[in-house]
Amino acid sequence: MQRLLVAILAAVDAAIAAAVGLVVLLAPLTMLWTLAFGVTAEWGALWPVTGTLWQFGHGVPIDIAIPDAVVAAVGIAPEAANFTLSLTPLAFFIFTLLFAARSGTRAARSGAWMLGVISGAVAFTLVAVAVAYTAQADIAQVPFGLAILLPSSVYLVGALCGAIRYAWREGDNGLIDRVHDVVDSWGDWGVVPAEIVRGATVVVVGLTGVAGLVVALTVALRGGEVVALFEAARVDATGVTVLTLGHLAYLPTLLVWALAWIAGPGFSVGAGTAVSPAGTQLGVVPGIPIFGLLPENSSIWMLIVVLLPVAAGAFAGWMVRSKLVWEDVARGLAPRVAIAAGIALLTAGVIALAAVLASGSIGPGRLADTGPHVGWMTLAIGLEVLIGAGIMLLAPRHRDELAEERTDRWATEMGTSVATDADTAADASSAWPAQATEPTDETETQPLSEHGFFGGGSTPTPR
């Protein structure tokens, strides 16, 4: 009965996730449609537009085919009447991913994570199939297979990540526990997978924060250009609302562009253009207000920003290193090299996926090539993070520093405070072997490898 309840609740979660995404689109479209055409307008076009935009938000490309009558009336060039939109508004993608992760975590907490993940993915797939069958527009066509596959895959990946994360940390009395036991039997290598994921998570969160700060600073410096482009568009309140909502949907995509700029390779806004710290080369770009944030010029000295990903990697390496010292594990060189390389590779993989989703076509002709270059951005981020993480994880530690951290750990385990009980701290320090706290001349001349990874010997924890 409990397993059936978990399956039902997971399916309801998936249905709610899909419904919220669709309503977020349908509600403002309904309001704008009413303001523009009145309550007597034909409402049949709203659902195809909503469904198509929902699919587009999950990475499904849209093939635009403007009718000949509109081309002749507006004066559009015939070669510009057919093009593809594939630059994903990542706000919808991220919402589904996070909602699915939350559902997967709830299923794992209930003790049936695999059943919950499968049930939720099936329910979301059914919604995607229904949308694909019913929301077909004449002007904007989407590939039917991708319209089902991509949204369902986003939900499945999110649910799996949430469920496995919780089950790995808390246990599931099943498959994850068996895998965990096997990994724990690897000795010094047992902590490597978890620390790679932990370090990569720290890097990704840190880089997202840095990109957000860069975007905020750019808005503060060039907000006037954005306002000027809004004014030049000469749109009414309805048009301003549509543009603003579109900008908000593309805000995560803009963060990926900012990260590409920070990493060094930069991004393009059409074929033959480049926006990077080393320089900016722009031709004629669309008058979309958000493009007012693009820098007009750059200096070679701005390449110093590439140190920010290095710093993010160093911070992740420091956090992992502190935990390794605290738990007195992974003392050998090889596990730490693997952790540093794993953090860089996993981070590069996440960045590659983000770069793929944040690049594509935004119009006909030269606008078909927009966004960061996936290969160069991935390589740059991977190398920069590897340098930062490697510096922190591979640098030796002083024996006195190690002894002090172990003393703090001992005091914490005994329920005392080194800061408030100096006598206890002194006793704890004296409990360590002499080579860890008061090195003799003989130990100082011995090679580093004889004292373990961080410079201290293998010291038992007092009980």
Side-chain angles (χ1 to χ4, degrees):
M1 182 64 183
Q2 181 180 358
R3 295 175 63 85
L4 176 61
L5 184 61
V6 170
I8 293 175
L9 291 177
V12 171
D13 268 351
I16 292 175
V20 169
L22 289 166
V23 169
V24 165
L25 285 167
L26 184 59
L29 285 176
T30 301
M31 181 187 67
L32 295 174
W33 190 268
T34 303
L35 293 175
F37 303 106
V39 294
T40 60
E42 175 61 42
W43 295 90
L46 276 181
W47 174 246
V49 172
T50 300
T52 301
L53 290 178
W54 183 78
Q55 295 161 345
F56 183 47
H58 291 86
V60 182
I62 302 177
D63 295 323
I64 304 295
I66 302 176
D68 295 337
V70 176
V71 171
V74 179
I76 301 175
E79 60 272 14
N82 296 275
F83 58 92
T84 299
L85 291 178
S86 58
L87 184 64
T88 305
L90 290 179
F92 298 99
F93 187 98
I94 294 174
F95 168 79
T96 299
L97 201 67
L98 294 179
F99 205 107
R102 174 179 172 273
S103 178
T105 300
R106 291 176 58 183
R109 190 181 293 117
S110 301
W113 67 268
M114 188 174 296
L115 178 62
V117 169
I118 294 175
S119 176
V122 170
F124 199 88
T125 301
L126 292 177
V127 175
V129 170
V131 173
Y133 268 110
T134 59
Q136 297 182 3
D138 296 331
I139 297 178
Q141 296 288 332
V142 298
F144 185 80
L146 292 180
I148 299 173
L149 178 62
L150 292 183
S152 305
S153 299
V154 173
Y155 191 90
L156 176 60
V157 170
L160 273 176
C161 290
I164 292 176
R165 172 184 172 275
Y166 183 88
W168 184 270
R169 186 181 60 188
E170 303 295 338
D172 69 336
N173 296 322
L175 175 63
I176 300 299
D177 277 350
R178 291 195 293 271
V179 174
H180 206 306
D181 291 340
V182 172
V183 173
D184 287 341
S185 68
W186 293 351
D188 268 4
W189 292 85
V191 298
V192 171
E195 294 307 312
I196 287 175
V197 174
R198 179 169 172 262
T201 302
V202 171
V203 173
V204 172
V205 172
L207 291 177
T208 303
V210 170
L213 289 176
V214 170
V215 171
L217 180 61
T218 306
V219 170
L221 295 176
R222 296 187 56 82
E225 298 294 332
V226 176
V227 174
L229 286 175
F230 264 110
E231 294 174 346
R234 298 184 181 277
V235 293
D236 56 10
T238 302
V240 170
T241 303
V242 171
L243 287 174
T244 302
L245 292 176
H247 287 5
L248 291 176
Y250 274 101
L251 181 58
T253 307
L254 191 63
L255 293 180
V256 180
W257 288 17
L259 184 55
W261 186 87
I262 294 169
F267 57 92
S268 63
V269 190
T273 65
V275 181
S276 72
T280 299
Q281 181 181 356
L282 290 174
V284 179
V285 297
I288 302 174
I290 198 66
F291 286 161
L293 299 179
L294 297 176
E296 294 180 352
N297 50 59
S298 301
S299 170
I300 192 67
W301 295 102
M302 296 187 72
L303 281 172
I304 196 173
V305 296
V306 302
L307 294 178
L308 294 175
V310 176
F315 181 69
W318 172 76
M319 291 191 66
V320 173
R321 173 191 180 114
S322 299
K323 186 175 181 181
L324 296 181
V325 173
W326 182 265
E327 298 181 352
D328 197 17
V329 292
R331 303 176 62 85
L333 178 64
R336 289 174 286 113
V337 171
I339 292 174
I343 291 174
L345 288 174
L346 184 56
T347 302
V350 174
I351 295 301
L353 176 60
V356 169
L357 294 171
S359 60
S361 171
I362 60 172
R366 57 193 294 270
L367 296 179
D369 183 13
T370 305
H373 187 284
V374 178
W376 288 117
M377 182 181 178
T378 303
L379 180 62
I381 292 289
L383 290 177
E384 290 158 3
V385 170
L386 179 62
I387 292 172
I391 289 174
M392 296 303 298
L393 282 169
L394 304 182
R397 294 177 66 92
H398 193 273
R399 290 191 298 274
D400 291 343
E401 183 184 2
L402 176 63
E404 182 180 354
E405 292 190 9
R406 287 180 173 173
T407 300
D408 293 342
R409 179 178 61 188
W410 181 87
T412 301
E413 292 175 352
M414 295 299 292
T416 61
S417 172
V418 177
T420 59
D421 194 346
D423 294 334
T424 303
D427 294 339
S429 299
S430 63
W432 303 115
Q435 66 174 10
T437 57
E438 297 178 3
T440 62
D441 294 338
E442 179 181 354
T443 58
E444 289 177 351
T445 58
Q446 292 177 352
L448 178 64
S449 61
E450 295 180 12
H451 298 282
F453 160 40
F454 294 120
S458 177
T459 305
T461 302
R463 299 186 183 277

